[in-house]
C-alpha cells in the first residue's frame, strides 16, 4: 500500500509541476504536497477506537 501511495503521490506532484511555468510551479506543487500530507499526519494521531483483546487458547 505504501508503494502505491508513493507512486500516486509522485505522479500527482509531477503533473502539478508539469502544468506550471518555470520556477512558479514549485511553490504550487509544494502547497499540494503539504495539503496532502497534513491531513494524513493528523489521522495518525488519532488512537484506535477499540483495542482487540488477545485471544485465549482453548
Amino acid at each position: 500500500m505504501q508503494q502505491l501511495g508513493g507512486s500516486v503521490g509522485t505522479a500527482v506532484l509531477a503533473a502539478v509541476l508539469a502544468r506550471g511555468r518555470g520556477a512558479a510551479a514549485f511553490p504550487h506543487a509544494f502547497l499540494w504536497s503539504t495539503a496532502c500530507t497534513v491531513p494524513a499526519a493528523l489521522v495518525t494521531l488519532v488512537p484506535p477506537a477499540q483495542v482487540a483483546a488477545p485471544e485465549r487458547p482453548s
Side-chain angles (χ1 to χ4, degrees):
M1 192 59 139
Q2 289 176 345
Q3 289 176 339
L4 179 64
S7 298
V8 170
T10 301
V12 168
L13 289 178
V16 170
L17 278 170
R19 289 188 63 188
R21 292 188 175 96
F26 182 77
H28 188 69
F30 187 77
L31 180 65
W32 272 92
S33 174
T34 303
C36 293
T37 302
V38 168
L42 291 175
V43 169
T44 63
L45 299 175
V46 178
Q50 183 178 6
V51 178
E55 293 184 26
R56 293 183 177 170
S58 31

